[in-house]
């Protein structure tokens, strides 16, 4: 029987589903709950009832499951950033592997045995190389105060004041504190997206984990900012900061948002090195370019991609959604030619620069949306590598990929649901999924990365 909205019910959580929520049943009716572990007995208040399921707000864990651990972070209850801290890392890996298997079986209608054991992260804390924080106002009675942190789930203006984060290097909290004190001392105003008034929007910190370099970007509205010299002086206490940027965001209704990055001091790019097998490549990253946020595990991911691409030195390889060209550049010395396609201009600029920097002459990078670029492409790849955003490829791009008739396709996915859908499109076009390996790029969160090998 369906539970009624606003009633309180007790249920045992059976498993976690993709997206991080737990699922349990009351009288055979499915109920989704956030913030729970498999095996927990919980009390929830029903807040949404649909025809086939309901959603409940966790009120109390009546009986914690065996193995629940104390979250490490003081902000755990408010942040929502790493929701799985209460699960031991081994359990997180088990759940992620099972979720990929579920997607393969239920959504792609393929055997679960295709899914290989998940590759876990050797350091499940302090792994992120990028932190994008927002400025927000203090509580109502102290609204002029500037706070810096993340938006709790459901909030778009108020942030919590970040004092620690165990996914980032520990000194970052000190840097955030210094910027917060600076803003409060000068009485700077937080930008408000509804009124478009105020100055401070974001503080972005990027780190080269293997080089020790750090890029700091203060993002503001276009209002005048008179305190640049004082802002620069702040970083004398942080000698690891190798690039300091001030970026302004232009927002005009009906037009795409535009961000202009001005270098205040130091290097134009952040340099990071990645090691893949015998190769070590060096990457220069511009402020707005995408780069995998877990450096150590990016090396693991790319090594696996290279292994599956199984190149002999002759092949033409296409690297679609190539970002700063990392995957393609690692393939280059084992391929005849590499062609990368990417929609972000800064990333393409970085990819081209990175090819030159690493002495790679057989890689070209094209700017543009994959579907548009592919329709004008004359060369055909022998091996195709795709690493799309969460939405996946979609039917049209799958058809374009298959039309090239590559021998092998290596599909890197950050969403097992869209991946499963795309694998069925490929199957209908003659590409068999040989195997799928989940790789954990984001410990403490529900996010899952997978690599699939498809063969013609
Ligand atoms: C998951 S990232 C992969 C980046 C890269 N392979 C790496 O490992 O660093 C996805 C990339 O796809 C790009 N992108 C998103 N939509 C695109 C599109 N329609 N055409 C081309 N690139 C796109 C994004 O800018 C982003 O760089």
């Amino acid at each position: 029987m369906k539970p009624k909205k606003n009633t309180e019910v007790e249920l045992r959580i059976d498993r976690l589903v993709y997206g991080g929520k737990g699922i349990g049943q009351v009288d055979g009716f499915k109920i989704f709950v956030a913030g729970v572990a498999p095996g927990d007995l919980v009390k929830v208040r029903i807040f949404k009832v649909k025809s086939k399921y309901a959603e409940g707000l966790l009120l109390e864990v009546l009986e914690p499951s065996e193995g629940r651990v104390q979250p490490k972070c003081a902000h755990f209850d408010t942040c929502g950033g790493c929701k799985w801290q209460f699960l031991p890392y081994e359990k997180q890996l088990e759940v992620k592997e099972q979720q990929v298997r579920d997607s393969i079986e239920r959504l792609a209608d393929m055997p679960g045995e295709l899914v290989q054991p998940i590759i876990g992260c050797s350091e499940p804390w302090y792994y992120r190389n990028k932190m994008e924080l927002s400025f927000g106002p203090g509580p109502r009675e102290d609204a002029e105060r500037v706070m810096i942190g993340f938006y709790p789930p459901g909030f778009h203006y108020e942030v919590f004041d970040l004092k620690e984060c165990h996914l980032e290097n520990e000194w970052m909290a000190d840097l955030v504190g210094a910027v917060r004190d600076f803003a409060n001392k000068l009485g700077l105003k937080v930008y408000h997206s509804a009124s478009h008034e105020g100055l401070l929007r974001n503080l972005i910190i990027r780190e080269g984990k293997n080089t020790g370099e750090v890029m700091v970007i203060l993002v503001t509205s276009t209002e005048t900012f008179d305190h640049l010299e004082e802002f620069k002086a702040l970083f004398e206490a942080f000698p690891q900061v190798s690039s300091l940027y001030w970026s302004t965001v232009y927002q005009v209704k009906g037009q795409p948002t535009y961000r202009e990055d001005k270098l205040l001091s130091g290097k134009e790019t952040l340099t990071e090195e990645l090691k893949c097998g015998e190769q070590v490549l060096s990457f220069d990253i511009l402020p707005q370019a995408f780069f995998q946020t877990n450096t150590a595990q990016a090396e693991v991911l790319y090594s696996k991609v290279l292994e599956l691409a199984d190149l002999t030195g002759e092949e033409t390889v296409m690297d679609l959604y190539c970002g700063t060209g990392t995957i393609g550049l690692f393939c280059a010395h084992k391929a005849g030619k590499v062609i990368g396609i990417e929609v972000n201009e800064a990333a393409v600029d970085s990819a081209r620069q990175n090819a030159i920097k690493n002495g790679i002459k057989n890689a070209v990078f094209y700017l543009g949306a994959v579907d548009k670029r592919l329709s004008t492409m004359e060369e055909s790849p022998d091996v195709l590598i795709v690493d799309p955003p969460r939405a996946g490829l979609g039917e049209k791009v799958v058809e374009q990929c298959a039309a090239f008739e590559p021998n092998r396709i290596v599909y890197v996915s950050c969403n097992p649901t869209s991946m499963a859908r795309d694998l069925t499109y490929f199957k209908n076009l003659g590409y068999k999924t040989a195997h799928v390996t989940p790789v954990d790029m984001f410990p403490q969160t529900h996010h899952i990365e997978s690599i699939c090998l498809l063969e013609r």
Side-chain angles (χ1 to χ4, degrees):
M1 208 177 71
K2 271 191 203 183
K4 289 205 169 57
K5 200 171 162 184
N6 289 327
T7 53
E8 291 181 12
V9 293
E10 288 181 15
L11 68 152
R12 176 85 60 189
I13 301 302
D14 299 330
R15 62 192 169 94
L16 299 183
V17 292
Y18 178 62
K21 286 184 179 161
I23 186 168
Q25 301 199 357
V26 171
D27 297 333
F29 196 77
K30 282 184 195 149
I31 305 200
F32 290 91
V33 190
V36 290
D40 283 349
L41 179 68
V42 294
K43 187 197 269 188
V44 304
R45 181 178 302 118
I46 301 296
F47 65 89
K48 190 189 271 180
V49 184
K50 295 279 187 187
S51 59
K52 294 210 167 117
Y53 69 92
E55 288 195 57
L57 176 75
L58 177 66
L59 298 177
E60 196 182 343
V61 178
L62 300 168
E63 238 179 69
S65 61
E66 238 177 72
R68 235 183 193 266
V69 290
Q70 184 63 26
K72 203 179 179 91
C73 183
H75 299 301
F76 176 74
D77 288 333
T78 25
C79 177
C82 29
K83 291 186 270 190
W84 279 10
Q85 284 187 49
F86 56 75
L87 290 179
Y89 188 50
E90 283 309 310
K91 184 72 186 169
Q92 295 179 24
L93 292 176
E94 188 189 311
V95 170
K96 288 185 186 192
E97 186 182 307
Q98 187 54 42
Q99 288 182 354
V100 175
R101 193 167 291 116
D102 284 350
S103 288
I104 290 294
E105 286 177 342
R106 294 178 197 194
L107 303 176
D109 197 17
M110 292 176 191
E113 292 74 44
L114 288 177
V115 179
Q116 307 296 302
I118 187 166
I119 304 177
C121 195
S122 55
E123 175 45 275
W125 299 100
Y126 310 106
Y127 60 83
R128 279 189 68 95
N129 59 28
K130 183 180 178 190
M131 168 141 117
E132 183 157 359
L133 297 140
S134 299
F135 288 90
R140 187 171 299 182
E141 63 283 3
D142 191 13
E144 293 300 303
R145 182 151 67 89
V146 175
M147 309 216 297
I148 312 180
F150 298 117
Y151 299 118
F155 287 75
H156 305 289
Y157 181 48
E158 289 88 1
V159 300
F160 67 86
D161 222 9
L162 184 122
K163 298 287 159 51
E164 59 182 277
C165 176
H166 300 277
L167 296 193
E168 324 285 341
N169 216 325
E170 281 174 296
W171 55 259
M172 282 197 195
D174 296 337
L175 195 152
V176 171
V179 174
R180 180 193 293 122
D181 291 348
F182 162 85
N184 279 314
K185 204 172 100 206
L186 293 173
L188 301 180
K189 298 271 178 289
V190 172
Y191 173 78
H192 196 298
S193 54
S195 65
H196 296 293
E197 284 169 6
L199 179 75
L200 303 170
R201 296 180 67 126
N202 301 97
L203 179 69
I204 303 169
I205 307 170
R206 304 187 74 162
E207 189 191 4
K209 290 273 185 191
N210 290 334
T211 57
E213 290 190 2
V214 174
M215 177 185 277
V216 175
I217 308 158
L218 176 73
V219 186
T220 72
S221 67
T222 49
E223 280 193 6
T224 326
F225 180 33
D226 296 324
H227 305 283
L228 284 178
E229 288 310 316
E230 286 145 281
F231 181 66
K232 274 160 69 173
L234 205 63
F235 294 91
E236 283 163 16
F238 298 94
Q240 64 271 55
V241 176
S242 48
S243 311
L244 183 61
Y245 271 92
W246 170 38
S247 303
T248 40
V249 172
Y250 296 82
Q251 262 176 329
V252 179
K253 218 175 167 192
Q255 287 181 24
T257 303
Y258 170 72
R259 191 175 110 188
E260 189 184 346
D261 303 311
K262 298 171 202 115
L263 182 65
L264 295 179
S265 66
K267 291 172 64 202
E268 196 186 358
T269 54
L270 176 83
T271 303
E272 178 61 304
E273 280 176 3
L274 292 180
K275 189 168 188 297
C276 241
E278 297 299 299
Q279 293 186 80
V280 178
L281 296 185
S282 177
F283 296 93
D284 284 342
I285 305 159
L286 284 163
Q288 294 191 46
F290 175 89
F291 197 80
Q292 292 284 351
T293 47
N294 183 341
T295 303
Q297 203 65 345
E299 293 175 338
V300 172
L301 182 86
Y302 295 159
S303 300
K304 188 75 190 167
V305 170
L306 270 188
E307 177 197 318
L308 298 181
D310 196 19
L311 302 170
T312 61
E314 301 295 319
E315 295 88 348
T316 296
V317 177
M318 246 187 216
D319 176 13
L320 304 184
Y321 309 88
C322 68
T324 37
T326 35
I327 295 179
L329 293 174
F330 273 113
C331 292
H333 89 290
K334 288 187 157 187
K337 181 174 184 184
V338 170
I339 302 166
I341 301 180
E342 163 62 45
V343 79
N344 180 300
E345 194 170 353
V348 173
D349 286 346
S350 294
R352 290 173 182 154
Q353 289 303 322
N354 288 328
I356 296 168
K357 185 179 165 102
N358 290 285
I360 293 169
K361 299 199 171 74
N362 60 340
V364 289
F365 294 96
Y366 295 125
L367 174 65
V370 161
D371 57 339
K372 299 217 171 58
R373 265 287 170 180
L374 285 185
S375 58
T376 59
M377 196 64 74
E378 283 171 5
E379 286 157 292
S380 279
D382 304 299
V383 175
L384 192 69
I385 299 170
V386 298
D387 185 4
R390 290 175 52 74
L393 300 175
E395 195 165 12
K396 180 179 170 197
V397 174
V398 169
E399 280 170 5
Q400 288 177 306
C401 290
F404 288 123
E405 301 187 347
N407 297 326
R408 270 187 305 292
I409 299 172
V410 182
Y411 186 149
V412 183
S413 160
C414 55
N415 178 350
T417 307
S418 57
M419 172 187 90
R421 177 205 64 203
D422 290 343
L423 294 184
T424 58
Y425 293 148
F426 274 119
K427 185 175 156 196
N428 296 337
L429 295 167
Y431 281 88
K432 184 174 172 241
T433 302
H435 48 84
V436 179
T437 303
V439 181
D440 191 23
M441 304 294 288
F442 311 106
Q444 317 307 331
T445 78
H446 64 273
H447 297 289
I448 318 175
E449 199 93 357
S450 308
I451 312 176
C452 314
L453 176 67
L454 291 96
E455 290 167 342
R456 195 147 76 97

